[in-house]
Amino acid sequence: MDADEFRKAAHAAIEDIIQYNTNVANNTHPVLPSIKPGYLAPQLPKAAPEHPQSWQDIQPDITSKIIPGLTHWQSPNFMAFFPACATYPSILGEMYSSAFTAPAFNWLCSPACTELETIVLDWLADALHLPTDFRSDSPGGGGGVIQGSASEAIVTIMVAARERYLHRKCDAEGLPNPSPERDARIAGLRSKLVALSSDQAHSSTAKGAIIAGTFHRTVKTSFEDELAVHPDALEATLRKCIADGLEPYYITLSYGTTSTCAQDPLHLLAPVLQNYPDIWIHIDAAYAGTALVCPEYANPPEGASSTTEAMTNGTSPSSQPLQKPTGLLPQGPSILCQVDSFNTNMHKWLLVSFDASLLYVRSRRDLTSALSVSPAYLQNKHTDSGLVTDYRDWQIPLGRRFRALKIWFVVRSYGIEGLRAHIRRTVRVGEHCAKLVTESKDGKELFELVTKPAFGLTCFRIRPDAIPRALVRRSSALDANSTENVETESTMNGSPFGTVEQQDEVAQNQSKQQSLTKMQPTQAAEDLANEFSKQVVETINDQCQLFLTSSSTHGKTFIRVVSGNTNASEEYIEKAFETIVKTTRELFVKVEKEKQT
Ligand code: PLP
């Protein structure tokens, strides 16, 4: 392809991309593809073409073969996982990055790549209200680096944490470096290292421990503590590890867990961790961390919390429920100066296309001393001068992409105020979803929140007491009291469901009776609520028009609705909610019919 051919092809590709984006925003494509696994191979030749093909031959295959197999993450009906926002300035950044293709592992490989990265990471540290310790010019030698993903950031940090722990311990024991005794001690210690995280943390910590070759243990959480780590539970887990002969070297604390956006309360956990000064504290804020661009998240008003009143669901808390306010940063992110590292993904919520994961460390030496290997062919006078940053020492791969460009373009095109506006708008869309669950007639009748909505994420499930009693009765032998209820209700309904008014009446009678007899929802109803919540999501996803995810923790399975992408809107949330209600009611009828036959 020569320059003229490229010009024509690029113009055509840009038109195609604009058309695609417009279609997706207008919901022209169902959010999920309806193809079957293996759909592509029969449409493509068995072998790569022997002879060159023209762009005119290549481009149409995007529309005919690739788009039918895409899941449209920018669709307003994409409410699954967390968003992965793509924007035009970001796409432009990718184009230039690809054109320059500079795998800038050392400063000299393309000084602009390194220097722009340092600058935009400092901009973002300030924009996110992070402590100045994380800036590249901090006296303590902190700094930021762009990683491909949060998982990559976490495993990189775990390796640095492991090495820091091992060497600190050997230094404290006075073992000379290098020495055979030190090597032997390190080998012995390595087999005992254990990384910690809560049982809600993203799986990347467990995976990181596998890659770092260490154990991983979780700190148990409970709904009573809003799925956040309780200081007593942390202390108990640490003590247990030590009693078992293990060496805790690292902990992930979360600002916005994947399932429910729970936040570990750093201000309550830091005092516990102060007694274990060699443990590396990492904050995984992969999704929610970008909300810190808004002052109301970075410096929440006194007494405010982005989590809610403790939920009382009958499970026993680790001890006393957490003091209020909870949340990772109730006093603002200045407390982050007590942690060793922090990551957040711009490629989730903050308008930069995948991949752009920001990783900040308080001491870059911890990273570089763990990861720096300098064979002769990588040495140069600039590196030797100590005046430049070689980001290869801050990451696992050697080569790296010029990701700073797309961040630079996005930040300049939107301005920090534009980034804030996006976060605030999508949070409002999420709040609308939560309102539908808690305030609409259908919502009140059918669903219950599982956790307080946070960061545009709403987690709810079918209420156990909304499951038709006939189904519950069939599912398990009910106790005498509840059988009585079932009979009453069945008679009143005449059908398992009746009209909405009848159901209201039934619900009122039922709740009166339940409060009289102090009857808890039976386990059968709980199990059905879980099973049906999952089935609702699967049924909806099978229809390809709306994409949701379900999750499960501590005996509750629930529906997650996320509203973070640029095309998210209240209108689509309302339609999605209608679909969830309709599917739930249809599922009740279907299962009832199946049970009868
Ligand atoms: N941490 C949290 C809290 C997440 O929610 C996720 C993904 O959703 C990750 C880490 C992993 O992110 P990545 O895909 O960037 O590795």
Side-chain angles (χ1 to χ4, degrees):
M1 189 180 277
D2 63 21
D4 276 338
E5 286 168 326
F6 174 69
R7 181 175 296 111
K8 280 196 203 108
H11 285 171
I14 294 290
E15 285 306 325
D16 224 14
I17 289 168
I18 293 169
Q19 189 59 54
Y20 170 74
N21 262 359
T22 311
N23 288 346
V24 168
N26 293 332
N27 197 29
T28 310
H29 300 291
V31 59
L32 280 164
S34 47
I35 43 75
K36 297 271 176 291
Y39 86 101
L40 192 54
Q43 301 185 58
L44 296 185
K46 290 257 176 299
E50 189 63 31
H51 303 294
Q53 297 181 345
S54 71
W55 182 246
Q56 284 86 339
D57 290 334
I58 299 168
Q59 190 179 10
D61 283 351
I62 291 287
T63 307
S64 63
K65 300 185 172 58
I66 299 302
I67 290 182
L70 289 182
T71 297
H72 304 290
W73 286 65
Q74 309 313 315
S75 161
N77 277 327
F78 185 98
M79 301 179 194
F81 308 115
F82 285 132
C85 295
T87 57
Y88 287 126
S90 193
I91 294 171
L92 291 172
E94 286 287 358
M95 282 174 61
Y96 278 108
S97 167
S98 175
F100 298 150
T101 296
F105 39 87
N106 277 347
W107 175 87
L108 184 58
C109 293
S110 241
C113 297
T114 298
E115 298 203 3
L116 186 64
E117 184 156 335
T118 307
I119 291 164
V120 295
L121 267 283
D122 282 347
W123 281 8
L124 263 301
D126 292 346
L128 296 171
H129 303 90
L130 300 183
T132 50
D133 306 34
F134 291 127
R135 283 184 55 98
S136 64
D137 51 8
S138 64
V145 58
I146 309 171
Q147 303 271 336
S149 71
S151 309
E152 201 179 314
I154 287 169
V155 70
T156 306
I157 284 299
M158 289 174 84
V159 170
R162 183 191 71 195
E163 294 307 300
R164 186 181 80 173
Y165 185 89
L166 293 171
H167 286 284
R168 272 194 188 173
K169 192 114 184 168
C170 288
D171 288 344
E173 291 171 10
L175 296 169
N177 189 10
S179 69
E181 309 89 273
R182 192 174 179 106
D183 289 347
R185 178 70 175 133
I186 285 181
L189 281 170
R190 256 182 212 279
S191 61
K192 295 184 183 144
L193 294 179
V194 60
L196 300 179
S197 68
S198 98
D199 56 14
Q200 301 299 309
H202 185 263
S203 55
S204 44
T205 297
K207 193 168 184 176
I210 296 173
I211 299 169
T214 71
F215 293 106
H216 171 236
R217 283 199 182 169
T218 56
V219 184
K220 298 253 172 310
T221 62
S222 69
F223 277 112
E224 180 101 31
D225 294 333
E226 305 174 12
L227 302 176
V229 170
H230 191 292
D232 295 348
L234 174 61
E235 182 74 67
T237 308
L238 285 164
R239 283 173 194 253
K240 175 82 173 82
C241 288
I242 290 163
D244 291 345
L246 297 175
E247 306 265 346
Y249 73 102
Y250 166 91
I251 186 164
T252 295
L253 299 180
S254 304
Y255 183 65
T257 57
T258 312
S259 272
T260 65
C261 272
Q263 302 159 63
D264 297 328
L266 181 58
H267 61 303
L268 303 179
L269 302 174
V272 175
L273 290 165
Q274 263 161 19
N275 298 324
Y276 303 86
D278 294 331
I279 295 181
W280 184 299
I281 309 175
H282 177 73
I283 304 296
D284 177 15
Y287 167 67
T290 48
L292 293 173
V293 76
C294 300
E296 61 272 27
Y297 282 102
N299 298 297
E302 185 106 355
S305 159
S306 34
T307 52
T308 186
E309 292 304 305
M311 295 180 64
T312 43
N313 69 341
T315 57
S316 57
S318 34
S319 68
Q320 289 303 303
L322 289 171
Q323 293 161 226
K324 298 296 174 297
T326 57
L328 181 77
L329 309 169
Q331 290 108 19
S334 58
I335 195 168
L336 288 175
C337 63
Q338 299 189 33
V339 309
D340 294 289
S341 50
F342 172 93
N343 76 273
T344 191
N345 286 351
M346 290 194 80
H347 67 239
K348 280 183 160 46
W349 201 5
L350 212 54
L351 304 171
V352 177
S353 322
F354 190 84
D355 53 350
S357 184
L358 312 185
L359 170 64
Y360 290 96
V361 287
R362 210 144 51 92
S363 162
R364 53 181 177 258
R365 268 198 65 197
D366 288 336
L367 267 183
T368 54
S369 52
L371 297 170
S372 181
V373 181
S374 285
Y377 48 81
L378 292 179
Q379 292 165 12
N380 62 78
K381 66 177 186 196
H382 303 286
T383 297
D384 294 344
S385 74
L387 293 175
V388 299
T389 300
D390 292 332
Y391 278 123
R392 70 183 161 93
D393 296 334
W394 299 49
Q395 62 174 25
I396 291 167
L398 178 68
R400 54 205 323 278
R401 297 179 351 92
F402 195 174
R403 300 184 187 99
L405 269 180
K406 59 185 171 183
I407 296 179
W408 194 40
F409 290 176
V410 166
V411 170
R412 292 178 67 184
S413 302
Y414 282 79
I416 302 299
E417 67 175 21
L419 304 184
R420 279 190 214 115
H422 165 68
I423 297 285
R424 287 175 180 149
R425 191 188 72 77
T426 49
V427 165
R428 276 197 305 275
V429 177
E431 286 167 355
H432 190 60
C433 177
K435 265 191 162 173
L436 291 170
V437 173
T438 56
E439 293 179 16
S440 73
K441 198 161 185 300
D442 288 320
K444 283 198 271 196
E445 181 197 330
L446 290 175
F447 304 119
E448 63 183 14
L449 288 181
V450 168
T451 50
K452 164 119 191 267
F455 305 109
L457 169 66
T458 310
C459 299
F460 59 101
R461 69 167 186 167
I462 297 173
R463 302 170 63 92
D465 59 9
I467 311 271
R469 294 287 101 184
L471 285 179
V472 177
R473 188 182 48 184
R474 282 198 190 86
S475 183
S476 90
L478 293 175
D479 63 38
N481 275 345
S482 45
T483 310
E484 218 169 87
N485 270 347
V486 169
E487 299 307 337
T488 320
E489 186 189 329
S490 314
T491 322
M492 285 177 61
N493 265 332
S495 84
F497 314 110
T499 63
V500 172
E501 291 71 26
Q502 281 172 330
Q503 287 183 31
D504 277 349
E505 200 184 322
V506 168
Q508 280 169 15
N509 282 335
Q510 192 186 351
S511 82
K512 268 190 222 149
Q513 279 208 15
Q514 285 188 347
S515 58
L516 282 177
T517 59
K518 295 256 184 321
M519 198 180 68
Q520 296 296 318
T522 63
Q523 189 56 47
E526 283 283 328
D527 292 349
L528 286 173
N530 286 340
E531 195 184 312
F532 287 174
S533 298
K534 186 163 185 218
Q535 273 187 42
V536 164
V537 169
E538 283 171 1
T539 307
I540 288 172
N541 291 348
D542 283 348
Q543 290 156 3
C544 303
Q545 303 295 328
L546 173 63
F547 190 16
L548 304 171
T549 31
S550 64
S551 190
S552 204
T553 192
H554 298 311
K556 289 183 196 241
T557 300
F558 48 91
I559 302 166
R560 295 169 76 262
V561 176
V562 193
S563 57
N565 80 23
T566 48
N567 294 315
S569 75
E570 297 186 350
E571 180 197 338
Y572 279 97
I573 285 286
E574 281 168 17
K575 285 191 198 143
F577 187 70
E578 266 172 40
T579 305
I580 296 169
V581 167
K582 184 166 165 280
T583 311
T584 303
R585 293 197 190 285
E586 286 172 358
L587 185 66
F588 288 169
V589 174
K590 179 172 157 264
V591 176
E592 180 65 18
K593 274 196 188 141
E594 282 169 6
K595 297 266 184 220
Q596 277 166 359
T597 52

